């Protein structure tokens, strides 16, 4: 459980640094990212998609409220408050699936 929690926090560290390449690097070669606006598979498309998020929302920052880890499924559910700018935020749930090498195979994000 501690490994999966650390991997999830590492993802948010590079995301919050607005490093699209490093964020894409947390995914497996055939990993996928899906949220309410985007869907991308593979490192190049994920990097492009995340880079677009950083351009569209330049002050975006993810704040972890809670992590629920399922070690048997290698799955983490993260409850987040995402700050869009200093005055606006949204609540989001991210569901991460990890492979045995610690790479994200799927990340699904839901508002609410």
């Amino acid at each position: 459980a501690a490994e999966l929690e650390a991997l999830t926090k590492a993802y948010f560290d590079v995301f919050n640094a607005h490093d699209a390449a490093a964020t894409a690097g947390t995914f497996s070669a055939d990993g996928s990212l899906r949220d309410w606006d985007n869907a991308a598979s593979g490192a190049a498309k994920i990097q492009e998609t995340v880079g677009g998020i950083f351009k569209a929302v330049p002050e975006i920052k993810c704040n972890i409220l809670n992590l629920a880890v399922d070690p048997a499924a290698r799955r983490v559910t993260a409850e987040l408050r995402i700050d869009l700018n200093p005055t606006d935020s949204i609540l989001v749930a991210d569901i991460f699936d990890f492979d045995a090498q610690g790479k994200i195979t799927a990340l699904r994000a839901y508002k609410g």
Side-chain angles (χ1 to χ4, degrees), residues 26 35 38 42 61-62 64 85 97 102 109:
T26 63
D35 66 19
N38 303 289
K61 180 175 188 283
C62 297
I64 299 170
N85 57 51
D97 291 333

Side-chain angles (χ1 to χ4, degrees), residues 5-20 22-23 26 54 60-64 96:
E5 188 171 311
L7 290 167
T8 303
K9 288 179 178 178
Y11 167 85
F12 288 117
D13 287 344
V14 294
F15 186 94
N16 285 339
H18 292 198
D19 187 333
T23 301
T26 63
F54 297 151
I60 193 167
K61 180 175 188 283
C62 297
N63 302 280
I64 299 170
F96 294 82

Side-chain angles (χ1 to χ4, degrees), residues 34-38 82 90 92 94 109-111:
R34 187 182 76 224
D35 66 19
W36 49 94
D37 288 327
N38 303 289
I82 298 182
I90 57 174
V92 172
D94 279 2
Y110 303 93
K111 278 196 221 181

Side-chain angles (χ1 to χ4, degrees), residues 4-99:
L4 297 176
E5 188 171 311
L7 290 167
T8 303
K9 288 179 178 178
Y11 167 85
F12 288 117
D13 287 344
V14 294
F15 186 94
N16 285 339
H18 292 198
D19 187 333
T23 301
T26 63
F27 286 80
S28 64
D30 61 347
S32 65
L33 168 68
R34 187 182 76 224
D35 66 19
W36 49 94
D37 288 327
N38 303 289
S41 293
K45 284 290 189 189
I46 290 170
Q47 182 174 339
E48 179 184 318
T49 298
V50 173
I53 292 169
F54 297 151
K55 284 182 182 149
V57 192
E59 297 182 84
I60 193 167
K61 180 175 188 283
C62 297
N63 302 280
I64 299 170
L65 303 177
N66 185 47
L67 294 177
V69 180
D70 180 348
R74 296 196 58 81
R75 178 169 292 145
V76 177
T77 301
E79 289 182 63
L80 309 168
R81 186 191 77 241
I82 298 182
D83 296 331
L84 304 174
N85 57 51
T87 57
D88 298 309
S89 64
I90 57 174
L91 296 176
V92 172
D94 279 2
I95 302 170
F96 294 82
D97 291 333
F98 291 94
D99 65 16

